[in-house]
Amino acid sequence: MSQWDDILEQVRSYHPDADVDLIRRAYAFSERVHDGQKSLSGRPVIEQLTELTSILSRLHVDETTLVVGLLHETLEKTEVTAEELQQNFGSDVLTLIETGAKISRIPYRKSSQQQVESFRKMFVSMARDLRVILVFLADRLCEMRLLAYRSDREQIDYSRETLEIYAPLANRLGISWLKSELEDLSLSFLEPDKYRELENRISRQKEERKAYVEDIRQRIRTMLDAQGVSGDVSGRFKHFYSVYKKMERTGVDLDQIYDLAAFRVLVDTVRECYEVLGIIHTEWKPIPGRFKDYIAMPKANMYQSLHSTVIGPYGGRMEIQIRTREMHRIAEEGVAAHWKYKEGAAVSARGRDDQRFGWLRQLLEWQQDVHLDKEFTVAGAGDLFSDEVYAFTPNGDVKALPAGATPVDFAYAIHTDVGSQCVGARINGKLLPLKTELKNGDIVEVMTSANHTPSKDWLTFVKTSKARNKIRQWIKAQQQEKSIELGRELLEKELRKHQYSFKRAQALDSFDRGIVELGFKSLDGLLASVGYGKLSPGQTVSHLLPKEELRTTGARPAGTLGKVLGKLGRRKPSSAILIDGIDDIMVRFANCCNPLQGEPVVGFITRGRGLTVHAADCSQVLADDPERLIQVEWDMQRKTTRPVKIRVLCHNQKGMLVGISGAITDADGNIVSATVQSTEDGKGLNLFEIEVQNLDHLNRVVREVTRVKGVYRVERLRS
């Protein structure tokens, strides 16, 4: 039986009413229009499209998605027209293909803003129709399997993009097997030496570990039989990326990781799940804090299971998952397991599906609230890929929030007005600070006052994008009002120097002309700018009053933003920063993020202190007044050096400091200071302050230090 016959058989098994003839027609059409085209491996393109379709069938998608998978490159790489596609396969197929084509043209690595735009368009598309994203995931897996045929640079870029976008997305959709393969393939190209070392070491222990897994599996099976519980017991090794991340996170060697294997028990009912849990905990001691009940509180994508880590028969930790067979189907198939096939319709989302796909609609709401790319980077990405905390209202309504969320996030999750008027919170009956981080199972009672308003300090601890955006909106509105009031007072004071009242000046023809000359559409905009300190009162009045009536004591020449900023102070060009084409503004660099040449940066106007340059994603500048932000860029023609701190974690052995110092010197880095200490577990912790020219130079230093034998982590410290 051919691979294509296997695919059709698979489709019939989960979707008996599928239009198989439509799928066959799409295959024949794709084979004809791609005739003569080769993939990166040299095989005919139709073979790669068949593999993509096989992946999609494993996701249990409908026939429309399979057809899109077969035809998704026709508009981009063949002479086929949109009209021809619609005529042969319908408007639904055409819409999905066109949407995918638009997303595929988004450059991911050009700049941070375009990267965020890629996120945005992908997720908005996903919220409208998940099938586009499933085709993207399947296509990415095919690409990763053929990545060895691409250049070294492409291998790195594709692997990083896969780890940052596609693997987390597969995880969010609950498709664990796809996530694991994407992660392992990415690791093999990003860290080839470490991947091969892991592969070789785990392979050498394969028979020993296989015997261990079978022994534990039989023990669990015997325990269940003794209690009369019927269930399937299986064991598996964790995938390489999971092991690698644990080694990186804990700083231990492979031989010190005892929970390389995980075991799963599948039963028929929820009651049996908890019965099996009791049997396991009676036999083996559970580790405190390592039990998670996703049955009572499912994840946002409706994943359900009991997770527990216990001390096994040989003294090592073992992870055990317990779930029903239906829960297992959902865990393996992910979001596709919730779909209802309906002829001529897209994905159905009624009844419980509203709850299942509620988080998708949240993504769309976040898009409406976020207007700046940098805000989405900081506020949105955390919500998309973070772990979750489940907290309850006193009435028992559950709210899913990102890890680290606070009562303020909880209040905004209930309603915007509840969040804005929040004055305090009782957590499990105790009155606690609003910045307290919530834990799973907390019961939160929000206290409100109709006269209360949001605080700017809340921005330092809230985690959800909704809370952050609503607080920002309120602060901006308040600051606008205060700035208008302050600007009016400053102008009135300046006008009195010329024997004019504000009302009398407004009656002049030159007043309205001056507002336009200064680049404002309304008086309020002008007043706000004066109140913010962007325009001086003297400069403003010189535009508003007739030139012949200006007194020399009050008149000041008008100028561009660069001239206004220039009044904040000047010095010789040395900052390597350009502002509206001017490079001699007094500039200082923020200590909170310590930006390097080559990184995206933003300028912040500080009253009386010139311009402070921050990294574009700096959380501190994002929490400040957005009206004072201006666009700046690096003068790449000017060479300069900047101090930066790095932390090097290594094994505590002779010669390490010499090796690390030599690596920094070999990369042309200048060591300003160094602090070295040993930890109790036999590790070395080294802090270096070095001088580098730019971001590329820092990356070169990090690469050289990473190559030193015994070094297992190098981190940049921002402050």
Side-chain angles (χ1 to χ4, degrees), residues 481-551:
E481 292 177 7
K482 291 180 180 178
S483 295
I484 291 172
E485 183 179 347
L486 176 60
R488 187 183 183 96
E489 291 176 3
L490 292 173
L491 276 189
E492 285 179 338
K493 183 178 180 181
E494 187 68 19
L495 285 167
R496 282 197 294 271
K497 295 178 182 178
H498 301 277
Q499 308 302 316
Y500 272 87
S501 67
F502 194 90
K503 185 176 181 180
R504 182 185 167 203
Q506 273 188 287
L508 298 172
D509 293 337
S510 60
F511 195 93
D512 291 334
R513 285 199 306 270
I515 293 175
V516 176
E517 287 174 4
L518 288 168
F520 296 95
K521 296 180 179 179
S522 67
L523 175 59
D524 281 352
L526 174 66
L527 295 176
S529 188
V530 174
Y532 274 120
K534 288 185 177 181
L535 288 176
S536 69
Q539 176 197 15
T540 306
V541 167
S542 70
H543 279 270
L544 300 180
L545 295 182
K547 299 295 185 287
E548 63 272 17
E549 295 192 34
L550 288 172
R551 294 195 176 191

Side-chain angles (χ1 to χ4, degrees), residues 28-156:
F29 185 92
S30 183
E31 185 178 38
R32 175 172 60 82
V33 299
H34 287 292
D35 184 41
Q37 295 181 0
K38 302 288 185 181
S39 65
L40 290 172
S41 63
R43 296 187 303 162
V45 166
I46 190 62
E47 291 186 19
Q48 184 172 338
L49 292 173
T50 301
E51 182 178 0
L52 185 151
T53 310
S54 177
I55 295 169
L56 287 173
S57 68
R58 187 174 175 184
L59 295 175
H60 289 194
V61 300
D62 61 357
E63 61 265 43
T64 300
T65 313
L66 294 170
V67 170
V68 172
L70 284 166
L71 304 176
H72 76 283
E73 292 186 329
T74 52
L75 289 180
E76 299 287 312
K77 298 184 178 180
T78 74
E79 299 297 322
V80 174
T81 64
E83 291 74 16
E84 190 175 355
L85 274 180
Q86 182 168 357
Q87 183 178 359
N88 284 277
F89 301 99
S91 58
D92 197 14
V93 169
L94 176 62
T95 300
L96 296 177
I97 292 175
E98 287 181 331
T99 303
K102 290 177 183 177
I103 297 174
S104 66
R105 288 193 290 268
I106 299 169
Y108 174 71
R109 281 294 174 190
K110 294 297 182 183
S111 73
S112 60
Q113 286 193 351
Q114 287 176 337
Q115 174 183 342
V116 174
E117 187 68 11
S118 175
F119 267 109
R120 185 171 294 172
K121 291 183 179 179
M122 284 183 65
F123 289 128
V124 170
S125 171
M126 178 180 66
R128 291 174 180 168
D129 201 318
L130 281 169
R131 295 175 293 184
V132 175
I133 300 304
L134 293 177
V135 173
F136 260 81
L137 288 173
D139 185 56
R140 176 48 59 114
L141 182 54
C142 287
E143 292 280 358
M144 292 301 294
R145 289 173 177 175
L146 296 174
L147 201 54
Y149 296 96
R150 291 188 178 272
S151 67
D152 292 346
R153 183 70 261 169
E154 286 178 313
Q155 289 174 3
I156 297 298

Side-chain angles (χ1 to χ4, degrees), residues 567-588:
K567 297 180 185 298
L568 296 174
R570 296 178 178 269
R571 62 183 178 189
K572 291 185 178 180
S574 61
S575 63
I577 288 291
L578 295 174
I579 309 165
D580 287 342
I582 301 171
D583 61 0
D584 60 347
I585 302 302
M586 183 173 287
V587 171
R588 65 190 186 94

Side-chain angles (χ1 to χ4, degrees), residues 140-284:
R140 176 48 59 114
L141 182 54
C142 287
E143 292 280 358
M144 292 301 294
R145 289 173 177 175
L146 296 174
L147 201 54
Y149 296 96
R150 291 188 178 272
S151 67
D152 292 346
R153 183 70 261 169
E154 286 178 313
Q155 289 174 3
I156 297 298
D157 289 344
Y158 266 70
S159 298
R160 289 198 184 282
E161 184 178 351
T162 299
L163 278 183
E164 293 170 3
I165 296 181
Y166 291 91
L169 185 53
N171 181 54
R172 193 66 170 174
L173 294 177
I175 313 170
S176 56
W177 67 267
L178 182 56
K179 162 187 169 287
S180 299
E181 186 171 350
L182 288 174
E183 288 176 339
D184 282 352
L185 287 168
S186 299
L187 179 63
S188 69
F189 291 101
L190 290 173
E191 299 284 354
D193 294 336
K194 293 180 180 179
Y195 181 86
R196 282 193 293 271
E197 180 184 4
L198 267 179
E199 189 177 37
N200 292 335
R201 292 179 67 181
I202 291 177
S203 296
R204 286 197 300 269
Q205 303 170 356
K206 185 175 181 179
E207 292 303 318
E208 178 183 346
R209 295 188 184 279
K210 186 177 180 181
Y212 167 80
V213 168
E214 181 58 25
D215 176 44
I216 299 299
R217 194 187 72 81
Q218 289 294 344
R219 286 173 181 257
I220 297 174
R221 178 69 271 162
T222 301
M223 290 157 52
L224 298 184
D225 289 340
Q227 298 297 323
V229 177
S230 174
D232 300 326
V233 184
S234 60
R236 60 173 177 84
F237 294 118
K238 293 184 176 178
H239 64 291
F240 290 151
Y241 185 79
S242 176
V243 176
Y244 166 79
K245 291 300 288 183
K246 183 158 190 175
M247 292 171 64
E248 288 286 297
R249 186 174 64 253
T250 60
V252 302
D253 191 69
L254 179 66
D255 294 329
Q256 296 174 282
I257 298 179
Y258 300 105
D259 56 343
L260 283 176
F263 298 87
R264 181 177 295 138
V265 181
L266 303 181
V267 292
D268 293 322
T269 66
V270 172
R271 180 177 180 179
E272 288 176 325
C273 289
Y274 290 97
E275 188 174 355
V276 170
L277 180 69
I279 295 171
I280 298 293
H281 283 184
T282 300
E283 184 70 20
W284 295 317

Side-chain angles (χ1 to χ4, degrees), residues 255-457:
D255 294 329
Q256 296 174 282
I257 298 179
Y258 300 105
D259 56 343
L260 283 176
F263 298 87
R264 181 177 295 138
V265 181
L266 303 181
V267 292
D268 293 322
T269 66
V270 172
R271 180 177 180 179
E272 288 176 325
C273 289
Y274 290 97
E275 188 174 355
V276 170
L277 180 69
I279 295 171
I280 298 293
H281 283 184
T282 300
E283 184 70 20
W284 295 317
K285 186 177 180 180
I287 296 175
R290 299 288 294 172
F291 168 69
K292 295 179 180 178
D293 188 346
Y294 293 121
I295 293 180
M297 291 184 292
K299 290 186 177 181
N301 56 17
M302 295 308 294
Y303 172 89
Q304 289 183 287
S305 186
L306 297 177
H307 291 192
S308 184
T309 302
V310 300
I311 303 296
Y314 302 105
R317 296 186 175 196
M318 300 189 315
E319 180 182 339
I320 298 177
Q321 300 175 357
I322 307 166
R323 62 181 70 144
T324 67
R325 290 177 174 83
E326 173 63 14
M327 292 174 189
H328 182 63
R329 183 179 72 86
I330 292 172
E332 290 299 300
E333 297 170 15
V335 71
H338 303 303
W339 289 14
K340 300 173 183 176
Y341 298 104
K342 187 174 181 182
E343 185 175 354
V347 180
S348 174
R350 299 177 181 175
R352 288 192 65 207
D353 284 354
D354 282 339
Q355 178 186 358
R356 290 164 175 161
F357 296 113
W359 63 278
L360 295 177
R361 283 190 293 277
Q362 277 186 306
L363 296 182
L364 209 53
E365 292 173 5
W366 291 334
Q367 294 295 325
Q368 295 167 359
D369 281 341
V370 178
H371 301 293
L372 298 176
D373 289 335
K374 58 181 178 288
E375 288 186 17
F376 181 81
T377 304
V378 175
D383 286 352
L384 296 177
F385 301 115
S386 63
D387 292 330
E388 292 181 325
V389 170
Y390 296 88
F392 297 86
T393 67
N395 294 331
D397 295 329
V398 64
K399 299 294 178 183
L401 301 165
T406 65
V408 176
D409 297 293
F410 185 89
Y412 275 104
I414 296 173
H415 193 275
T416 298
D417 291 342
V418 175
S420 298
Q421 298 173 7
C422 175
V423 294
R426 286 190 176 88
I427 304 175
N428 302 322
K430 295 182 179 179
L431 190 62
L432 294 174
L434 288 176
K435 63 181 180 181
T436 304
E437 292 189 3
L438 299 178
K439 299 181 179 62
N440 274 324
D442 281 345
I443 299 175
V444 183
E445 180 185 353
V446 179
M447 295 178 287
T448 62
S449 171
N451 298 323
H452 193 263
T453 56
S455 167
K456 187 176 180 179
D457 293 337

